[in-house]
Amino acid sequence: MSRRIALFILFVFALFLFTLWTLVKFNDAYNILTKDTQLSAWALAQLEIETLEFTHQGEKYLISDSVTKHDLNLSYDILWNRYDTFLHSAETHDVRTHYNSGNVVEEAFTILQKYEKGIAQGDKEQVARLLSDIEQVYPKIRNLLLINFTGLSSVENRALIAENRQTVFIDMALIMVVLAFFSIRLYRDSKHQQFITWHDPLTKLKNRNYLLSQLKCLSDSKQKHAVVLLDIRHFKDINDTVSYEYGDKVLCEVAAQIKRKADKFEFSCARVGADQFAVIADKYDVDFEFFIKSLLNDLNDTLPRLDRSKRMRISMGVATCQDAIDSNEQYPTKFDTVLNNADFALNIAKKIHSQQIVFFSRKIALEHRKKKKLSDQLAKLISSSEQKQLYLAFQPIVPRQNDRLGCEALIRWNHPEYGQINPEYLIQIAEESGIAKDLGRWIFLQVQQALAIEWREFRHRIEVAVNLSDSLFDEELPQLVLETLGTVPNFLDSIVLEITETMTLDDIERSNNIISSLEKLNVRLALDDFGTGWSSLYNLNHLNFSKLKIDKSFVQNLGTKSNQTFFISAIVTLSHQLGIKVVAEGIEDASQLRSLMALGVDEFQGYYFSKPIPQQEFSLFCEQYFTQHPLTLNALTTL
């Protein structure tokens, strides 16, 4: 129970006590008022009785000898004391004040005092006058009791007070019931809000807030711990192809599987994203790696049953608090460092198809820092016109006839600290940092500049192949090509864009629209690495390509595996029937070239002709190729 809910319960309990205390105090006040009323009525009744008694004694004294002068004086003294006590006693103060009886009694007492001497002497004439004067004031004394305590108005007032008392009790009871009702409702709502704050509504697991809170507690207490992040790859396909309702069912079953396994090891688990879960392992007396592998095996058994397409798979990223410690620290300074490391490891696992679990390590951290550093530097380089590190190299692509010459533009980065950066690594950095399109624009501009300036003499006889990264192949590509290569002079018909079949797998219709837009600009496309994917023929059947490049693995095994000849022959025959030229890459010797020529390949690329060279050297290659003939294929095949 949270502190806020506890305080709320305490507040409601105090309010109940206050209500009960108010009822008790009201009841006490009512009882005091009733007692005060009874005392007041008794005091006034005694006044009336003593006055009436004295009147009777005086009348007997006047007409008979049965009452002596002593008896009359005794009765007179009693009445005197009664009046005097009533007018001056503190006990009768409220009676004198509340009921306005003080003036009436004062008037009667004044009359009594007026005839004090005559009463003392037993003067019957004075007694008669006193009785006459008292008779005039007696009705007023009597009315005090009748009107205020025993009369109709008094009865009505007491009835009204009793009724009000009952009404107050009922009202207070209703208030307490209503207060109890709203308190219960508010408590339930607060409890529900607290549940939502720390739990995922769908799977009922703990949520990201709880995960961060637990990590902070573990970090503050310097307790050893590890975080396992799990992601369901291709889960979105379930929502899109089946239904969101079934997708929720999958998530709930996966969540239940994770919780069952985590509970056995007394670990905490949470849902931290749409299809992402986390496990916090804070006990090192168990086999942690066994837990991870056991959980992965259970999930690998569960997912195929839930996904008939068998595409969903689990990826895991694991990080421990020890991995987050720098050399000059004893414990991580930030509580979420372990979570960030696990997330980084998870991203790597999602990219490596053959590896489902990735453990974060110092090596990975250094690699991450290196990538971050290189991505920042790369962004600056492609925006600078003065830089010398980044450049394009061009590898010749030789056709059967020497009237034209092709080349493939290859990105190169001569880093002052790391030397030559691997081109695939460079593209990966650009893709992950979100600057792949900027890099693509830079490459197109470099090609445009080379055709316009360095290769101006041969530009109508040269075609340049440019490899596209995944980020470049989208609906914005035609406009980008037009802006960079469709200027004056126009080099669009000199460009061949190479794409891999993996770029076209997700959406054939979308890919076809992009390719059609490029065809309208006279830009040709080549299918790169043909033969390495399972959908190569499907792509040829549904998409329009001008060229396809046979993967170099077919060429390398051409002399050692006889069936490679049949594969290449089939590819060439099918391509020519579809009106597509065939390019073979990876040619390293004359025997490979002769075999490929015999099989009908149209264009050739490899170290046998030239390695990738800078654009100035490629200018010399073009001059030699177009003006001399030692590089013609007819001459090469005789070597």
Side-chain angles (χ1 to χ4, degrees):
M1 183 182 297
S2 70
R3 183 179 179 184
R4 289 185 177 181
I5 294 181
L7 290 175
F8 172 76
I9 295 174
L10 183 63
F11 169 76
V12 172
F13 181 72
L15 194 58
F16 273 114
L17 290 179
F18 175 75
T19 304
L20 292 174
W21 179 81
T22 303
L23 288 175
V24 171
K25 294 298 289 183
F26 176 81
N27 189 63
D28 290 344
Y30 175 81
N31 292 334
I32 291 172
L33 178 61
T34 302
K35 183 178 179 180
D36 181 66
T37 302
Q38 292 173 348
L39 291 173
S40 300
W42 179 84
L44 291 175
Q46 289 299 111
L47 282 176
E48 181 185 1
I49 292 171
E50 297 296 342
T51 302
L52 187 61
E53 180 66 25
F54 174 74
T55 302
H56 289 167
Q57 290 288 352
E59 290 176 350
K60 289 181 180 180
Y61 177 76
L62 292 177
I63 63 174
S64 154
D65 294 333
S66 60
V67 175
T68 65
K69 178 178 139 179
H70 175 73
D71 295 334
L72 180 64
N73 276 278
L74 180 60
S75 180
Y76 178 83
D77 290 340
I78 292 174
L79 182 60
W80 177 291
N81 289 330
R82 182 65 64 186
Y83 284 169
D84 184 62
T85 301
F86 184 85
L87 292 173
H88 300 99
S89 175
E91 287 78 4
T92 59
H93 177 270
D94 292 338
V95 181
R96 297 195 303 268
T97 303
H98 293 166
Y99 303 104
N100 199 26
S101 58
N103 293 334
V104 175
V105 177
E106 182 70 35
E107 181 182 355
F109 190 44
T110 301
I111 294 173
L112 195 66
Q113 288 175 325
K114 179 180 178 182
Y115 296 98
E116 178 182 5
K117 186 176 180 180
I119 298 300
Q121 296 175 353
D123 188 346
K124 291 187 177 182
E125 183 179 354
Q126 291 290 323
V127 171
R129 289 179 182 177
L130 173 58
L131 294 177
S132 177
D133 290 345
I134 288 179
E135 187 178 357
Q136 300 297 322
V137 77
Y138 175 74
K140 296 180 180 180
I141 294 175
R142 187 171 182 276
N143 286 339
L144 286 176
L145 184 62
L146 292 175
I147 295 173
N148 294 299
F149 298 101
T150 60
L152 180 61
S153 62
S154 176
V155 174
E156 291 177 350
N157 288 337
R158 287 196 299 273
L160 181 61
I161 291 175
E163 183 181 352
N164 288 341
R165 180 192 185 195
Q166 184 178 4
T167 303
V168 168
F169 273 101
I170 294 174
D171 291 345
M172 293 297 286
L174 288 175
I175 290 174
M176 292 178 67
V177 170
V178 172
L179 181 62
F181 172 75
F182 281 109
S183 298
I184 294 172
R185 287 292 302 272
L186 185 59
Y187 171 77
R188 288 179 178 177
D189 291 343
S190 299
K191 194 172 182 180
H192 179 66
Q193 290 297 325
Q194 184 187 25
F195 180 84
I196 293 177
T197 301
W198 300 107
H199 292 79
D200 171 52
L202 176 64
T203 62
K204 304 301 184 292
L205 294 181
K206 296 294 194 303
N207 59 14
R208 187 178 183 84
N209 292 335
Y210 175 84
L211 176 71
L212 295 176
S213 175
Q214 286 296 103
L215 289 177
K216 189 175 188 308
C217 291
L218 291 171
S219 179
D220 292 342
S221 62
K222 300 189 182 306
Q223 182 177 347
K224 291 182 178 181
H225 61 280
V227 174
V228 183
L229 285 182
L230 304 91
D231 184 89
I232 308 176
R233 297 186 60 190
H234 301 293
F235 171 76
K236 186 176 181 297
D237 296 343
I238 295 294
N239 286 336
D240 294 341
T241 59
V242 184
S243 68
Y244 281 90
E245 183 179 1
Y246 185 76
D248 291 344
K249 179 182 177 181
V250 171
L251 289 175
C252 290
E253 188 152 349
V254 171
Q257 186 80 38
I258 295 173
K259 189 175 189 307
R260 281 195 296 269
K261 182 64 68 174
D263 288 346
K264 288 182 180 179
F265 289 80
E266 297 183 356
F267 295 157
S268 300
C269 58
R271 182 190 179 195
V272 295
D275 56 355
Q276 195 173 102
F277 300 86
V279 177
I280 303 177
D282 54 357
K283 300 182 185 305
Y284 273 69
D285 56 345
V286 299
D287 190 339
F288 183 55
E289 290 193 15
F290 171 77
F291 163 76
I292 296 173
K293 294 178 180 178
S294 176
L295 175 60
L296 182 61
N297 290 335
D298 290 348
L299 293 175
N300 284 339
D301 292 338
T302 301
L303 287 183
R305 175 172 53 83
L306 299 173
D307 177 22
R308 294 181 179 178
S309 67
K310 314 298 182 186
R311 295 195 65 192
M312 284 197 306
R313 66 192 300 268
I314 292 293
S315 296
M316 287 186 178
V318 185
T320 68
C321 62
Q322 297 301 316
D323 297 326
I325 301 175
D326 291 334
S327 58
N328 58 344
E329 293 179 345
Q330 294 183 349
Y331 207 80
T333 55
K334 293 184 178 180
F335 71 89
D336 56 351
T337 302
V338 181
L339 180 62
N340 292 338
N341 291 345
D343 185 62
F344 183 76
L346 176 63
N347 289 332
I348 296 176
K350 289 161 67 175
K351 293 174 184 176
I352 303 175
H353 295 278
S354 59
Q355 189 172 353
Q356 287 186 268
I357 305 175
V358 171
F359 290 85
F360 182 86
S361 64
R362 298 289 183 82
K363 182 179 180 180
I364 292 178
L366 293 174
E367 180 65 22
H368 174 64
R369 293 174 184 174
K370 178 182 177 181
K371 277 189 176 181
K372 182 65 172 62
K373 177 181 178 180
L374 291 176
S375 65
D376 293 340
Q377 293 176 349
L378 181 60
K380 292 180 180 179
L381 289 175
I382 60 180
S383 62
S384 172
S385 59
E386 304 296 329
Q387 65 86 25
K388 301 296 183 182
Q389 300 179 30
L390 207 62
Y391 63 94
L392 292 182
F394 300 89
Q395 186 173 28
I397 301 175
V398 180
R400 282 181 174 271
Q401 293 77 26
N402 69 331
D403 57 332
R404 293 185 64 83
L405 180 64
C407 65
E408 182 178 358
L410 302 169
I411 186 73
R412 294 291 184 267
W413 186 0
N414 187 13
H415 194 277
E417 180 180 355
Y418 301 110
Q420 285 289 342
I421 303 296
N422 185 291
E424 292 183 0
Y425 185 67
L426 190 158
I427 298 300
Q428 180 185 2
I429 291 173
E431 287 282 341
E432 293 178 359
S433 60
I435 59 174
K437 283 193 175 183
D438 294 332
L439 180 61
R441 179 181 293 274
W442 183 87
I443 291 174
F444 287 144
L445 290 174
Q446 299 302 307
V447 171
Q448 191 272 343
Q449 183 180 13
L451 288 170
I453 300 175
E454 296 289 341
W455 310 334
R456 183 173 61 249
E457 182 180 354
F458 316 106
R459 64 189 181 194
H460 296 297
R461 304 173 68 184
I462 294 177
E463 60 181 32
V464 184
V466 179
N467 290 286
L468 297 181
S469 63
D470 292 343
S471 296
L472 279 174
F473 190 69
D474 60 13
E475 289 79 358
E476 298 177 357
L477 177 61
Q479 183 63 30
L480 176 61
V481 173
L482 183 63
E483 290 175 356
T484 53
L485 297 165
T487 57
V488 179
N490 188 324
F491 298 115
L492 293 175
D493 57 352
S494 299
I495 301 300
V496 178
L497 300 181
E498 295 186 0
I499 62 175
T500 60
E501 61 179 310
T502 56
M503 296 182 187
T504 64
L505 287 177
D506 292 336
D507 193 337
I508 291 294
E509 183 179 355
R510 170 177 172 270
S511 300
N512 193 32
N513 291 335
I514 298 172
I515 293 174
S516 298
S517 298
L518 292 170
E519 286 180 338
K520 293 177 182 178
L521 300 177
N522 293 324
V523 175
R524 291 164 292 163
L525 275 90
L527 182 59
D528 199 8
D529 299 332
F530 185 83
T532 59
W534 61 272
S535 63
S536 298
L537 294 178
Y538 182 86
N539 283 319
L540 283 182
N541 188 37
H542 290 81
L543 301 175
N544 296 324
F545 293 98
S546 299
K547 296 182 181 182
L548 67 81
K549 298 184 73 172
I550 300 175
D551 187 69
K552 59 184 178 182
S553 61
F554 288 89
V555 176
Q556 291 172 349
N557 297 321
L558 189 59
T560 58
K561 295 183 178 180
S562 58
N563 58 352
Q564 293 294 78
T565 301
F566 301 113
F567 278 114
I568 296 176
S569 176
I571 292 172
V572 172
T573 301
L574 176 62
S575 298
H576 287 172
Q577 289 175 346
L578 294 173
I580 300 174
K581 291 185 178 181
V582 179
V583 182
E585 59 181 346
I587 301 172
E588 296 182 356
D589 55 48
S591 62
Q592 292 175 341
L593 176 61
R594 283 192 294 267
S595 297
L596 291 169
M597 288 187 65
L599 293 172
V601 173
D602 301 292
E603 298 179 3
F604 310 89
Q605 177 183 356
Y607 277 24
Y608 180 69
F609 302 102
S610 173
K611 64 180 181 179
I613 53 180
Q615 63 183 32
Q616 293 85 356
E617 293 185 27
F618 186 74
S619 296
L620 298 176
F621 187 94
C622 290
E623 183 178 353
Q624 182 182 10
Y625 180 82
F626 289 121
T627 58
Q628 303 176 18
H629 299 287
L631 291 179
T632 60
L633 292 177
N634 291 332
L636 290 170
T637 53
T638 60
L639 294 178

